[in-house]
């Protein structure tokens, strides 16, 4: 709700008792279907196998670099994540399926602004074994839950190349609100990138969290693991 100050100007609503929030740290987040753990070099070979196979070039289309062709190339790419103080990067380790117990994807906290309670999940890369699984959805849920419930953040962002339709669908399915498009935002792999912005804010989160929990509930899946209700249906309601 907006307000008017003594000069007759519209101003934002007060945020009583606001203080800068803690900066995210590399923590272990344990779920029913996935473990989100701080990225370390011990997982690099698994990530290479999961995301850098001969048929995996399309996984890298919207990333800063093309698919690494060798483990040392991926090693240098991931080591740069660990060396960057602006990132907190996690390995995503499913607990079920063919990739159980091995790292099958990564995701990072970035654009971290503790003074304003804002953080983005980005650099999301799911290997084939992680795509369209309960583990993938739960991994993002755990990162959101940690930011909102443990750290007290007010805003959680998701951004993607405007041409990355699977990422756009994932954002909407997870309950993010589309906010707009930043034109000519970046040059990625020598190509222009317009970037679409999505967010969940603290007042959205209780309903989004409930929708995630309802979808992840074992009762929402039959004996063959098929969902009874779609997450997009739950977040839309």
């Amino acid at each position: 709700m907006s307000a008017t100050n003594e000069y007759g100007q519209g101003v934002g609503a007060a945020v009583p008792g606001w203080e800068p929030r803690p900066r995210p740290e590399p923590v272990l987040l344990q779920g029913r279907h996935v473990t989100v753990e701080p990225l370390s070099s011990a997982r690099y070979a698994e990530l290479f196998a999961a995301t850098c196979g001969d048929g995996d070039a399309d996984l890298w289309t919207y990333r800063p670099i093309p698919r690494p062709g060798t483990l040392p190339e991926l090693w240098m790419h991931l080591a740069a994540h660990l060396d960057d103080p602006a990132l907190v990067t996690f390995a995503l380790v499913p607990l079920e399926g063919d990739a159980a117990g091995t790292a099958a994807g990564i995701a990072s906290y970035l654009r971290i602004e503790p003074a304003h309670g804002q953080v983005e999940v980005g650099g999301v890369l799911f290997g084939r074994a992680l795509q369209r699984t309960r583990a993938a959805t739960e991994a993002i849920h755990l990162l959101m839950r940690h930011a909102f419930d443990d750290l007290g953040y007010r805003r959680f962002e998701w951004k993607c190349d405007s041409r990355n339709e699977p990422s756009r669908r994932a954002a909407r399915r997870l309950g993010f609100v589309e906010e707009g498009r930043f034109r000519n935002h970046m040059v990625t792999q020598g190509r222009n990138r317009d970037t679409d912005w999505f967010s969940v804010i603290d007042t959205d989160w209780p309903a989004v969290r409930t929708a995630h929990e309802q979808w992840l509930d074992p009762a929402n899946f039959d004996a063959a693991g098929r969902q009874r209700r779609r997450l997009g249906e739950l977040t839309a309601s």
Side-chain angles (χ1 to χ4, degrees), residues 15-75:
V15 184
W18 174 256
E19 295 181 357
R21 308 312 304 154
R23 182 178 175 82
E25 299 289 344
V27 297
L28 182 69
L29 304 175
Q30 186 66 57
R32 182 182 289 114
H33 308 289
V34 69
T35 297
V36 177
E37 65 178 45
L39 179 66
S40 73
S41 59
R43 296 291 191 180
Y44 289 179
E46 296 171 359
L47 288 166
F48 182 77
T51 66
C52 297
D54 291 339
D56 291 333
D58 61 315
L59 300 180
W60 296 80
T61 297
Y62 301 108
R63 295 187 66 78
I65 64 170
R67 176 185 66 87
T70 66
L71 178 56
E73 289 179 42
L74 180 66
W75 191 291

Side-chain angles (χ1 to χ4, degrees), residues 214-215 220-221 227-231 233-234 237:
Q214 289 175 340
W215 188 82
N220 190 45
F221 297 87
Q227 63 185 345
R228 302 184 192 278
R229 296 187 68 187
R230 296 180 180 276
L231 180 56
E233 173 190 347
L234 293 166
S237 64

Side-chain angles (χ1 to χ4, degrees), residues 79 117 148-149 161 181 205:
F148 282 119
D149 293 349
D161 189 306
R181 179 165 296 173
W205 172 239

Side-chain angles (χ1 to χ4, degrees), residues 168-188:
R168 288 175 45 80
R169 288 197 303 268
R172 293 191 293 265
R173 173 179 174 269
L174 287 160
F176 285 81
V177 174
E178 186 167 2
E179 295 181 326
R181 179 165 296 173
F182 279 42
R183 299 178 298 163
N184 285 8
H185 182 224
M186 302 171 67
V187 177
T188 303

